[in-house]
Amino acid sequence: MSEEKIVVKINDQGEIEVETFGIRGPLCVEEINKLIQDIALTVETNKKDEYFMEPEVKTLSTIKQKRGLSE
């Protein structure tokens, strides 16, 4: 599973560029919106290929063991 991170760049004109890495699908837009909702006046969105990929599902593995009785 890849590392998830968000990179924020602010230029001299005060423009904010936010890019996600390792976050797939609509979750990346949700995370960006949470981050900039109170600071950005307007938003222009350009979706990367990762946006259109299926989100990675985090699962927990469990191992079941049975004890056998010898006769």
Side-chain angles (χ1 to χ4, degrees):
M1 197 172 296
S2 62
E3 178 183 23
E4 296 177 351
K5 66 180 177 178
I6 299 174
V7 175
V8 179
K9 297 177 186 175
I10 303 173
N11 68 19
D12 293 340
Q13 289 77 39
E15 296 171 332
I16 302 168
E17 180 181 327
V18 182
E19 187 172 4
T20 62
F21 297 90
I23 305 172
R24 294 180 176 178
L27 181 60
C28 66
V29 175
E30 292 173 24
E31 293 300 317
I32 289 173
N33 287 338
K34 281 191 245 178
L35 185 66
I36 65 167
Q37 67 185 353
D38 294 330
I39 58 173
L41 298 176
T42 60
V43 176
E44 179 182 315
T45 304
N46 297 312
K47 295 177 175 82
K48 300 188 311 183
D49 290 340
E50 276 185 315
Y51 177 83
F52 301 100
M53 298 171 80
E54 289 293 322
E56 291 182 358
V57 177
K58 296 178 183 178
T59 59
L60 297 175
S61 298
T62 58
I63 299 173
K64 293 182 181 180
Q65 293 182 341
K66 292 184 180 180
R67 291 187 185 196
L69 298 175
S70 56
E71 295 182 29

